Amino acid sequence: VDVDAGGQEPYAIPPDNPFVDREGARPEIWAWGLRNPWRLSFDLATGALVIADVGQRRWEEINVQPAGGGGRNYGWSIMEGPECFGADSCDAAGLIMPVAWYPLGGGQCAAVGGYTYRGSQFPALTGAYLFADYCSGLVWALDLATALERGQAEAHEVASAGLRPSAFGEDEEGELYLVGHGGEILRISARPR
């Protein structure tokens, strides 16, 4: 939507939105099929939109919307993560699968979306999308370029935050921060292995 459009409406709908002329759909819709997104961010380098989506029974997932095209269906409520979600029909044709997922349980409960690192202090992190789990405090990274190119990327556990992450932050230089549910703010850093 164009929030700077003025006029009596609170925003304008760009004429090239994918649902502008689709009967029965709201013209504001850019994508659908997400269950409960918990944080999303735009990558500063590619313009891609990365969305953490909280699952219902078995899977937490990360979805990627490349810059430019819209109209994607991310599959909820037909799919949850890589599996069918109790639907009468599990036809995944036309659905966009998540680029990464992890199971619920074992102390994990909700994916918290982060940012793709574009700072300069830690070159080893450049291009890594960081996200966390609210209950376990685990932090993962995946390569965004791989996710965009292949539609899937392996997420690697990179840290345990020792708190319940509720959000990430990004400063003007592209450096990242992790925000705890209790108000804690941790600066993300990388150490050589």
Side-chain angles (χ1 to χ4, degrees), residues 18-42:
F19 293 93
V20 164
D21 294 320
R22 189 173 293 184
E23 187 176 328
R26 293 186 60 121
E28 297 95 328
I29 295 173
W30 184 255
W32 79 104
L34 298 164
R35 180 183 174 270
N36 186 13
W38 189 350
R39 309 285 185 232
L40 51 92
S41 63
F42 288 97

Side-chain angles (χ1 to χ4, degrees), residues 99-188:
V99 297
W101 55 86
Y102 66 91
L104 284 164
Q108 299 172 157
C109 71
V112 179
Y115 288 90
T116 302
Y117 183 78
R118 297 297 179 188
S120 60
Q121 292 185 14
F122 309 106
L125 286 177
T126 300
Y129 173 76
L130 276 70
F131 63 99
D133 181 79
Y134 176 75
C135 291
S136 69
L138 295 175
V139 179
W140 291 274
L142 63 82
D143 183 67
L144 183 60
T146 300
L148 286 165
E149 179 183 325
R150 298 184 186 158
Q152 193 172 16
E154 187 174 345
H156 300 279
E157 184 181 322
V158 294
S160 178
L163 51 75
R164 286 185 174 238
S166 62
F168 284 77
E170 180 179 44
D171 68 19
E172 303 83 34
E173 284 82 39
E175 301 301 327
L176 301 184
Y177 302 84
L178 182 65
V179 180
H181 185 84
E184 310 89 344
I185 299 176
L186 305 176
R187 191 170 137 252
I188 304 286

Side-chain angles (χ1 to χ4, degrees), residues 2-88:
D2 181 356
V3 296
D4 296 323
Q8 294 196 340
E9 298 296 322
Y11 56 83
I13 299 165
D16 62 345
N17 269 16
F19 293 93
V20 164
D21 294 320
R22 189 173 293 184
E23 187 176 328
R26 293 186 60 121
E28 297 95 328
I29 295 173
W30 184 255
W32 79 104
L34 298 164
R35 180 183 174 270
N36 186 13
W38 189 350
R39 309 285 185 232
L40 51 92
S41 63
F42 288 97
D43 174 39
L44 296 174
T46 66
L49 176 63
V50 189
I51 309 160
D53 197 15
V54 176
Q56 178 150 336
R57 291 186 193 149
R58 295 193 43 148
W59 301 101
E60 302 296 297
E61 61 185 58
I62 304 299
N63 297 281
V64 174
Q65 169 72 52
R72 290 176 143 210
N73 180 348
Y74 290 97
W76 179 259
S77 65
I78 297 168
M79 305 292 294
E80 179 184 22
E83 298 178 341
C84 297
F85 179 77
D88 292 337

